[in-house]
Each structure stands twice: as structure tokens, then as C-alpha cells.
């Protein structure tokens, strides 16, 4: 490996969300905790990004910023190279985060009382985007078949056909279910949504983190018609662990939808601001860090294999859902016959392991845990030892 995926910087009391949440749970700085929660990586930043940021600090002024032409073209080149998606710089609108973007989209393209579809269980802020804005949650439950989730298209179409349904927030790849939707599935979603005039906001933030053997397809790349009926939310933040720099790229190919979005943004803030360091980091990442990404994926995949092998041998009651993309392994612990809250207690207090609890992703997530695998492999090995030690008394 060219890059370092072993060094970890301590982040306790450093304004780090993941560790702050642990502290809120009573964890002390000197406790031997392993966090596998919040979706950022325990990997140090790629050196090319660090160099670019240093250069910026030495040679620029931290004033108001807009993306440069070169930045926008670099983003488009990444989409072509990694995803075979032809884009135009003018399609890109800035956002501090993908969550900001799908919250805005719900407000801009739907009215209070109208229906927004989610394919559940799903990334929990998507529920908030619907209910906090007084829209109606149209719940399209995914079906767990063996170790993978499927879409119930009959139910999906029935719900899309309801006159009140106006928008779908698609999570592609899917967090927490780990699916990379196939071309056939995406085309079917696209056709149904076109037929019933449902706009698609496709959150593709995990699109670069695809496991070997799978291929992500950008929703807008399916056809011009589908491109005209969607908004694609992307960011370098998951891929290169840059969430703290608050830089996302929202693609709106359809000029009318784009204008509507831009006008709404201007109404709420006539002088939108960008993060100058975020742009620099994203540009450096997309230009120079493809190898870093490949290596990060291979570490995540190694970690995945370790967990899968261990669980099948030691705790076959825990079912691991196929990880096709993201670094967030979704595990069904219901076979352990331990209540969700008690599971949380055992993991925190006895095993000193912090996963994300499945119930935060919706009712279907109860009894599940989400394991963030973007960390040094030694963390995963240590966690497996702790699981073995802790749970042997709970299983017969
Ligand atoms: C599916 C999905 N969308 C959005 C986000 C967060 O996006 P942002 O930090 O750009 O608001 C996450 C973070 O885990 C996510 O998993």
C-alpha cells in the first residue's frame, strides 16, 4: 500500500461529532472505547489533500468564495471517469451538505401535506426532511430476502401513483442496507416516477465507495428523460472523509428545476457562501487521490471479510447483510434474541463497542446494528475479540 490507513488521531474533545456523542453517553477520555458509529472515517487525510490545503493557506486569503471554472470541470471529469456520467459544469449547484440539499429540495418542489416517498429503513435525516417540513411520509418498505434487500415494485408503484405523492428521496447506494441498485431496478424506479410525475432526489453521497464486483450507476445517466426528472446529490465528503469541510456538488440537469432551486436559495440567502478550503480539498481529491480511494476500499473490504467470517463461525445467529457499497455494514442481530435496547447496553457497557443502533433508521431497523468499517483493521480485530468474550455468556 502506498498510503497510511493505520495511524489514528485521537479526536476526544476536539469538536468531533462521533466522539462528542460518546462523551454524551458517559464515555471518559481514557476509556478503551472503539467507536464504529457516525459515518466518517478513522483514516488520516490523504497527503495530496493536506498539501493542497497547506498551499491554499500559504497562497490565498480566506475570503468569500465561489467555485472556479477549473473546480467545476474537475468535478465533471470525476463523474465521467468514475461513473461514466456526462455532465456540464453549469448543472452543479453548491451546497454545504447533501442533507441541506435534500431538505431544500423537499421545500422547493413540494407543498405542505404532499407525499414524499422513502425506501425504508433509510438514513434517518431523510425522515426529518419529510416530517419536519410537514410533508407526508410515504413509506415504501424494502424487503429483506436472505441477506439482501429488494424493492417491492408493486407497492412502490401503488404509492407513486397516488396523486398526492410528489417526490422520492432515493438513497443510492443505500444507507444502511448497503445496496448498489442495479440498472434494471433504477430504470424501473425512473419509469414509474416519470409515469406518475414523481420527482426524484437521488442522494448518491456513497457512490464512490463501491465494493469489488459492484458498479454504481448514477440515476441521471439512465436516459435524458430521467435526467430531466431528477436531482443528483454528490459530495467528496464520504469518499475522502471531508465532511467537516462542508462542500457538496448538487447536479440539476433540467434548467427549469435548476432555476427553481437557485431562486429559492437566493430568496433565503442572497449571498450564499462557499467553503474555500472545501473546494481546494475536493479538487485535489478528484485530481490526485484515486489511488488513495482504491486502497481505502480495499481496507474496508478486508474489514468486511473479517467480520463476515468471524460472525458466520462464532455467532451465526447474527445475519450480515451483503455490503455492496458504503463502509457501513448492516447486521441483523435479532437471532441473538436480545432486546434492541439491551443489545445497546451490552455493547456499550460490557464490550465497549459503539455501533449505530438500527432503530434510528426506522422501525424495521430495530434489532439491527450498523458497523462503520472505515477504520484500521486492528480496531476490527480487537472488536471481534471483545464480542467473543462478551457474548459467549449470552448465547447457549
Ligand atoms: C445517505 C447519506 N446522505 C447524506 C449524508 C450526510 O451528508 P452531508 O454531511 O453532506 O450533509 C450521509 C452521512 O452519513 C449519508 O449516509
Amino acid at each position: 500500500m502506498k498510503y497510511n490507513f493505520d495511524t489514528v488521531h485521537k479526536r476526544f474533545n476536539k469538536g468531533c461529532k462521533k466522539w462528542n456523542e460518546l462523551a454524551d453517553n458517559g464515555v471518559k477520555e481514557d476509556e478503551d472505547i472503539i467507536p464504529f458509529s457516525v459515518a466518517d472515517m478513522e483514516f488520516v487525510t490523504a497527503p495530496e489533500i493536506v498539501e493542497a490545503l497547506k498551499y491554499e493557506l500559504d497562497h490565498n486569503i480566506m475570503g468569500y468564495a465561489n467555485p472556479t471554472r477549473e473546480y467545476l470541470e474537475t468535478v465533471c471529469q470525476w463523474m465521467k471517469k468514475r461513473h461514466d456520467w456526462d455532465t456540464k459544469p453549469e448543472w452543479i449547484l453548491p451546497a454545504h451538505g447533501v442533507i441541506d440539499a435534500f431538505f431544500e429540495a423537499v421545500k422547493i418542489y413540494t407543498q405542505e401535506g404532499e407525499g414524499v416517498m422513502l425506501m425504508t429503513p433509510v438514513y434517518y435525516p431523510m425522515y426529518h426532511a419529510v416530517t419536519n417540513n410537514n410533508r407526508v411520509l410515504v413509506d415504501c418498505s424494502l424487503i429483506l430476502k436472505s441477506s439482501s434487500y429488494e424493492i417491492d415494485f408493486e407497492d412502490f408503484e401503488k404509492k407513486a401513483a397516488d396523486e398526492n405523492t410528489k417526490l422520492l428521496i432515493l438513497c443510492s447506494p443505500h444507507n444502511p442496507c448497503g445496496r448498489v441498485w442495479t440498472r434494471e431496478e433504477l430504470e424501473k424506479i425512473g419509469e414509474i416516477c416519470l409515469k406518475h410525475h414523481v420527482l426524484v432526489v437521488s442522494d448518491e453521497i456513497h457512490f464512490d465507495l463501491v465494493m469489488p464486483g459492484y458498479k454504481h450507476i448514477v440515476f441521471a445517466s439512465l436516459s435524458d428523460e430521467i435526467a430531466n426528472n431528477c436531482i443528483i446529490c454528490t459530495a467528496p465528503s464520504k469518499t475522502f472523509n471531508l465532511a467537516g469541510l462542508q462542500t457538496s456538488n448538487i447536479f440539476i440537469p433540467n434548467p427549469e428545476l435548476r432555476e427553481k432551486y437557485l431562486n429559492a436559495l437566493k430568496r433565503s440567502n442572497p449571498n450564499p457562501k462557499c467553503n474555500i478550503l472545501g473546494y481546494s480539498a475536493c479538487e485535489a481529491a478528484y485530481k490526485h487521490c484515486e489511488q488513495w480511494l482504491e486502497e481505502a476500499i480495499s481496507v474496508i473490504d478486508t474489514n468486511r471479510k473479517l467480520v463476515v467470517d468471524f460472525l458466520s463461525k462464532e455467532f451465526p445467529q447474527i445475519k450480515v447483510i451483503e455490503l455492496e457499497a458504503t463502509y457501513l455494514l448492516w447486521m441483523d442481530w435479532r437471532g441473538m434474541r436480545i432486546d434492541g435496547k439491551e443489545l445497546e447496553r451490552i455493547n456499550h457497557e460490557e464490550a465497549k463497542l459503539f455501533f449505530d443502533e438500527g432503530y434510528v433508521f426506522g422501525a424495521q431497523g430495530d434489532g439491527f446494528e450498523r458497523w462503520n468499517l472505515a477504520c484500521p483493521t486492528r480496531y476490527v480485530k480487537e472488536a471481534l475479540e471483545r464480542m467473543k468474550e462478551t457474548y459467549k455468556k449470552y448465547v447457549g
Side-chain angles (χ1 to χ4, degrees), residues 39 96-100 102 123 126 171 173 175 203 205-206 235 237-238 243 248 328 370:
H96 293 302
V98 163
I99 298 178
D100 303 58
F102 62 63
Y123 181 54
M126 292 178 179
C171 195
N175 171 17
D203 174 345
I205 197 167
H206 294 278
S237 50
K238 294 289 158 214
S248 304
L328 307 162
R370 195 189 71 170

Side-chain angles (χ1 to χ4, degrees), residues 137-150:
L137 174 63
V138 181
D139 190 338
C140 301
S141 289
L142 294 168
I143 304 166
L144 179 56
K145 287 230 172 107
S146 178
S147 60
S148 187
Y149 282 84
E150 288 179 12

